[in-house]
Amino acid sequence: FRSNYCTCPSRVLGVMVRQPLHPVVPRGATMKGRLFDVQPMEGADADDRSAADCLPSFTDIAKFIVPGFCIVLAGSSMSSVDKSFVGRHSTLELAALGPASTAFDCGSYLLTFLNTATLSLLARRGDQQYARRIRSHALVLAMSSAAFLGAVLCSCAAALVGILGATPDMMQHSVNYLRLRSLGLPVERGISIA
């Protein structure tokens, strides 16, 4: 005899609840703001019924996914906009953006964990005071870490773009672009956290 239900811990309630091993959409399920309406099993106790009520709705999932998607999209779009404007002047300057953008993006990705961690902590259902405290701590940590990383990128710009393949002709353009963009790193991280 194999049961279709397993017992596993629920992060929402902090108690043991019964959840299906293979989620099955019941016949006649309704769309009540959820992916599907969950009905507790016959004979389920109050904890099982409240666990079914605490499943995240589609809007809760969207509120979590959309900011994370925008965080990833922001860095790529900034590099694309820079390349579209710089490419109008000369091909040498456009080629110089390659190593500089790669160095900046690699440095920026080192701090992406702060965005993910903040988003995960804010997704918990807490009071407004808790959310404000998480945001303020995350902003201070992100902006101070980004300022330190920006200083490292500024001071090591020539070595970094040289390692990433900048030729002597485009070295000066790559270094200038990387130094200029690294000055905005604290603002970029602050905006992605806020």
Side-chain angles (χ1 to χ4, degrees):
F1 174 72
R2 184 171 186 265
S3 172
N4 286 335
Y5 287 82
C6 69
T7 303
C8 61
S10 170
R11 286 188 279 171
V12 176
L13 298 174
V15 297
M16 301 298 279
V17 296
R18 298 173 74 183
Q19 296 178 347
L21 287 172
H22 303 286
V24 177
V25 179
R27 184 176 293 184
T30 59
M31 298 291 286
K32 293 182 180 176
R34 302 182 191 281
L35 296 178
F36 56 89
D37 188 23
V38 178
Q39 300 295 325
M41 298 181 342
E42 290 181 26
D45 58 8
D47 286 340
D48 289 340
R49 291 182 201 282
S50 62
D53 292 336
C54 291
L55 290 175
S57 67
F58 182 76
T59 54
D60 291 337
I61 293 171
K63 285 178 186 177
F64 183 77
I65 290 174
V66 169
F69 175 73
C70 291
I71 289 168
V72 173
L73 189 63
S76 302
S77 60
M78 284 188 356
S79 294
S80 298
V81 168
D82 289 344
K83 289 174 185 173
S84 67
F85 283 103
V86 171
R88 293 180 179 185
H89 295 282
S90 74
T91 56
L92 179 64
E93 290 177 4
L94 182 61
L97 285 181
S101 293
T102 304
F104 180 82
D105 289 341
C106 288
S108 180
Y109 285 136
L110 290 174
L111 299 179
T112 303
F113 75 93
L114 292 170
N115 304 342
T116 308
T118 304
L119 192 59
S120 296
L121 289 172
L122 290 176
R124 292 184 182 174
R125 295 180 188 218
D127 58 352
Q128 291 296 326
Q129 185 67 24
Y130 174 78
R132 277 189 232 119
R133 191 177 71 210
I134 291 297
R135 275 197 188 100
S136 68
H137 286 53
L139 276 172
V140 168
L141 183 61
M143 293 184 78
S144 59
S145 299
F148 174 75
L149 184 61
V152 169
L153 287 174
C154 273
S155 62
C156 300
L160 288 172
V161 296
I163 290 169
L164 292 171
T167 62
D169 294 339
M170 61 184 182
M171 182 68 78
Q172 187 60 40
H173 298 294
S174 289
V175 169
N176 289 341
Y177 177 75
L178 181 57
R179 285 183 177 157
L180 183 64
R181 187 143 179 218
S182 66
L183 293 176
L185 187 59
V187 175
E188 180 196 5
R189 288 294 105 187
I191 289 172
S192 66
I193 292 291

